Amino acid sequence: MTDATSAPPSAPRRTGLAALELDTRLLGMIGAFVLIALAFHFASDGRFVTPRNLFNLTIQTVSVAIMATGMVFIIVMRHIDLSVGSVLATCSAVMAMTQTMIVPDMLGFGLGSPATAPIAIVMGLVAGAAIGAFHGWLIGYLTIPAFIVTLGGLLIWRNVAWYLTNGQTIGPLDETFQLFGGINGTLGTTWSWIVGLIAVAAALWGLWSARRGKIAHDAPVKPLWAEGVVAAIIAAAILGFVALLNGYTVPSRVLERRFEAEGLTMPEGYVEGYGVPISVLLLIAVAIVMTVIAKKTRFGRYIFATGGNPDAAELSGIDTRMLTVKVFALMGVLCALAALVASARLTNHSNDIGILDELRVIAAAVIGGTALKGGVGTIYGAIIGALIMQSLQSGMAMVGVDAPLQNIVVGGVLVAAVLLDIWYRKRTGARD
């Protein structure tokens, strides 16, 4: 009987870094982010790698990253969605109008009622799913190319959002709704550490379960020292991230107003950190769910099988038309979640919300390693790609780069990322 702490006899002997079995593509993306951060840090006289800037960078990344996870499935199936920014705008408009008109006027609940935010979020999710399913029906059943359907959607839904609000900015939004925006909704330092420790425990349990599963099937496993190094890296990354966000402290004037509102005097030297934003927890939850869908469900296997070879997938009995509807409906739901985060961060709905997000989302997925030929893509890659995109834009804005030049750089990075991905696949012969 094979012990759970020893490698099976069939496991090849590996030494040094090879024993860690690290994902070279993941390391490359992390390395690119580190280089970008350091370059802008020095160029901005030490203002980029600070708790405040990285906190803001994180919450600015969330909405694009959420949509990028869905764009992975779209591109994996050899489609494209150019309408995500406009769908986001429509979902944002629906949620804003629900809070300010539908709930107070039709249901009798005032702004601030506990029911307002949940009803608005559900309405936004339903609107996003319906729009996405409609796109999928046009593509899957009427065989209109996804490029044309979503290009039309880019124009249609942007202007539907305008008509829903009569071109007005709608706000301020419900305070509970604003909790999903970032700085208006955080866990605080204590709960952030608790969540961080829970995340470390979950990660270690996942590593151990994966090792036991490999041993049970006589598959090769890493040496125990290598498992320990990987576990230490993951734990350090999680706790370091929490420490970084906890390091961004609430301005003293904000704390003073809070104490005054409660009739108290703020203690001298009192400091309070923001902690992990609720929007980041939402992104983590989306990433986990999408990863499970991709790797552990029949739905996910069908997506990658269809993208790898659509004809073979259809001949094997996969209903590719309904699968297309489901994937685009899922994309619509993710657009609604992104709308929730984006409008909550702004505390209102504005007509320009989500403009050019479709390009950022596609770029994030591609930079993250999703192959435009289909069949290949990862959720974590898309999220890191979104972080790299936002880092570039935030860093260039910080050092005073003009907006036109920012777009030139982002476009160049996108093309370069595709070229590097082509070279990588040719060199390694890999499909994932």
Side-chain angles (χ1 to χ4, degrees), residues 170-386:
I170 306 298
L173 301 178
D174 182 79
E175 290 187 1
T176 303
F177 188 88
Q178 291 182 31
L179 294 177
F180 292 93
I183 202 166
N184 292 319
T186 59
L187 298 181
T189 54
T190 301
W191 275 106
S192 295
W193 283 121
I194 292 173
V195 170
L197 292 173
I198 292 173
V200 169
L204 297 181
W205 179 83
L207 289 174
W208 181 250
S209 297
R211 181 180 178 85
R212 289 181 63 88
K214 289 181 179 180
I215 291 173
H217 293 87
D218 293 327
V221 294
K222 301 185 188 75
L224 276 177
W225 71 264
E227 295 278 15
V229 170
V230 172
I233 292 173
I234 293 174
I238 293 173
L239 297 179
F241 178 68
V242 173
L244 181 69
L245 296 181
N246 282 345
Y248 180 31
T249 56
V250 181
S252 58
R253 62 183 183 278
V254 176
L255 292 175
E256 289 172 357
R257 287 198 297 267
R258 185 189 303 171
F259 275 89
E260 289 175 0
E262 297 176 359
L264 303 173
T265 301
M266 189 176 79
E268 185 176 354
Y270 180 79
V271 176
E272 183 179 316
Y274 279 108
V276 177
I278 293 174
S279 61
V280 172
L281 294 182
L282 177 61
L283 172 60
I284 293 171
V286 168
I288 293 172
V289 170
M290 293 294 284
T291 300
V292 170
I293 290 174
K295 294 187 174 182
K296 302 294 184 181
T297 67
R298 181 183 300 176
F299 178 55
R301 290 193 294 270
Y302 283 177
I303 290 172
F304 282 85
T306 301
N309 192 325
D311 295 333
E314 192 164 359
L315 290 173
S316 66
I318 297 175
D319 187 348
T320 56
R321 295 181 298 178
M322 180 54 67
L323 185 66
T324 301
V325 174
K326 292 178 180 178
V327 169
F328 276 88
L330 177 60
M331 183 76 251
V333 170
L334 294 172
C335 288
L337 289 177
L340 163 64
V341 171
S343 58
R345 182 165 63 86
L346 297 172
T347 72
N348 58 64
H349 165 80
S350 59
N351 290 318
D352 61 350
I353 192 170
I355 286 181
L356 292 182
D357 270 6
E358 47 278 330
L359 303 183
R360 298 185 184 100
V361 170
I362 294 170
V366 172
I367 290 173
T370 304
L372 292 173
K373 291 183 178 180
V376 176
T378 60
I379 302 301
Y380 68 79
I383 293 174
I384 297 176

Side-chain angles (χ1 to χ4, degrees), residues 116-127:
T116 300
I119 293 173
I121 293 170
V122 169
M123 291 291 288
L125 293 173
V126 170

